[in-house]
Amino acid sequence: MARRIEVTGAGGVRLAAWEFGDPPKSGSDPAPAAPGVLLLHGLMGRASHWAPTARWLSERHRAVALDQRGHGQSEKPPRAALTREAYVDDAEAALEQLGLAPAVLIGHAMGALTAWQLAAKRPDLVRALIICDMRASALGAASQREWADWFRSWPLPFATLADVRKWFGEDDPWVERPNPARGSFYAEVMTETPDGWRPVFEPEQMLRSRETWVYDAHWEELAQVRCPTLVVRGLDGQLGRAEAQEMVRVLPRGAYAEVADAGHLVHHDQPEAWRAAIEPFLEGVRAL
């Protein structure tokens, strides 16, 4: 099961988080405190995308997934509040308010950047880090223009969720071959409105969030991460092997894993292979 928790982020922004795992049985002895894990989704994602990962993590950890500002059921503040610092401060607040620290941070894409920026800023709060398919190099203005064009290509509103799954899984120009997992990923960030299905986020806010990091490289902050860190890439994802291995070299305590037959949405494309890639690392962290 999952229990919703309210967190107050930077500037008083209301954030929604979900803790996964069964509550203790009535009358049973309290279990020793389990190590905390905070899961951070990527741009356009939401906490529920982590549900399969969080459920098996909850067998041995206290697993919490956060809807980051502007996403999911968290508050959608104005443009000025969508800074990198705000995202990092939100994750810091979640760790402190939920008593998770020192925690393992698991981040996908933008969430991974938030995680390593927090690990560099507050090493006392972060026990270990898993970076899933996020580049440290600058992506540049051309990339931002491509994203703006892509958002404009969405045939909103979608008439049905089946149409959402088909467009993002097959018809989207960014799809090289049919990908049902991608279709289900985007179906999960849609909500029904009077005229059809639309995203739970504002696409313009997603572009504003992205522009706060897309023009900059983040190698310096990566080098400041002192905890054990696993860099994971999908074989067909956005993070290339050469850059991933350079990230591992830059990290003082870096390790590398890749998942075959997975694209950018590694944990969604191949959940069992994703688990196999990260579980040995987590077991090693538990043994420290």
Side-chain angles (χ1 to χ4, degrees), residues 223-245:
Q224 295 169 6
V225 175
R226 299 296 168 183
C227 62
T229 303
L230 179 67
V231 177
V232 185
R233 63 178 289 269
L235 202 59
D236 299 314
Q238 296 177 9
L239 175 61
R241 179 180 286 124
E243 182 169 352
Q245 292 177 343

Side-chain angles (χ1 to χ4, degrees), residues 9-29:
V13 170
R14 178 191 56 77
L15 304 173
W18 277 262
E19 181 168 354
F20 290 79
D22 295 328
K25 295 179 180 179
S26 178
S28 62
D29 294 332

Side-chain angles (χ1 to χ4, degrees), residues 137-221:
S137 59
L139 301 181
S143 173
Q144 189 72 349
R145 288 193 298 270
E146 288 174 1
W147 273 71
D149 291 342
W150 179 57
F151 277 128
R152 284 192 290 269
S153 76
W154 291 17
L156 296 173
F158 293 95
T160 68
L161 275 180
D163 292 327
V164 173
R165 294 187 183 96
K166 184 177 186 301
W167 196 83
F168 286 101
E170 299 178 25
D171 301 338
D172 183 349
W174 282 19
V175 175
E176 295 181 357
R177 59 181 183 272
N179 186 342
R182 187 175 187 269
S184 66
F185 182 95
Y186 283 98
E188 204 161 331
V189 295
M190 296 289 162
T191 187
E192 192 170 18
T193 66
D195 64 345
W197 291 83
R198 294 180 178 273
V200 297
F201 51 78
E202 296 292 336
E204 186 64 23
Q205 283 200 335
M206 297 299 98
L207 285 173
R208 297 303 174 217
S209 294
R210 194 173 187 269
E211 75 178 6
T212 64
W213 52 266
V214 73
Y215 301 115
D216 301 315
H218 305 282
W219 293 99
E220 184 176 349
E221 294 151 303

Side-chain angles (χ1 to χ4, degrees), residues 28-217:
S28 62
D29 294 332
V37 176
L38 182 65
L39 299 118
L40 300 172
H41 60 74
L43 190 74
M44 300 182 294
R46 63 186 307 171
S48 60
H49 282 141
W50 286 117
T53 297
R55 287 194 178 102
W56 66 257
L57 280 172
S58 68
E59 297 169 6
R60 303 191 69 179
H61 302 79
R62 185 181 170 209
V64 177
L66 180 69
D67 270 343
Q68 296 179 79
R69 59 177 55 212
H71 296 74
Q73 294 186 30
S74 287
E75 189 176 344
K76 295 164 178 61
R79 173 178 178 174
L82 297 171
T83 64
R84 273 286 82 219
E85 292 77 12
Y87 279 105
V88 173
D89 289 348
D90 287 348
E92 181 179 357
L95 289 178
E96 293 181 326
Q97 291 172 35
L98 300 176
L100 290 172
V104 177
L105 297 186
I106 302 178
H108 172 246
M110 182 192 75
L113 176 59
T114 299
W116 90 59
Q117 288 179 325
L118 177 55
K121 175 188 175 185
R122 290 290 307 273
D124 57 308
L125 297 181
V126 184
R127 185 180 185 187
L129 175 64
I130 297 178
I131 295 169
C132 180
D133 218 66
M134 179 61 188
R135 299 177 62 181
S137 59
L139 301 181
S143 173
Q144 189 72 349
R145 288 193 298 270
E146 288 174 1
W147 273 71
D149 291 342
W150 179 57
F151 277 128
R152 284 192 290 269
S153 76
W154 291 17
L156 296 173
F158 293 95
T160 68
L161 275 180
D163 292 327
V164 173
R165 294 187 183 96
K166 184 177 186 301
W167 196 83
F168 286 101
E170 299 178 25
D171 301 338
D172 183 349
W174 282 19
V175 175
E176 295 181 357
R177 59 181 183 272
N179 186 342
R182 187 175 187 269
S184 66
F185 182 95
Y186 283 98
E188 204 161 331
V189 295
M190 296 289 162
T191 187
E192 192 170 18
T193 66
D195 64 345
W197 291 83
R198 294 180 178 273
V200 297
F201 51 78
E202 296 292 336
E204 186 64 23
Q205 283 200 335
M206 297 299 98
L207 285 173
R208 297 303 174 217
S209 294
R210 194 173 187 269
E211 75 178 6
T212 64
W213 52 266
V214 73
Y215 301 115
D216 301 315

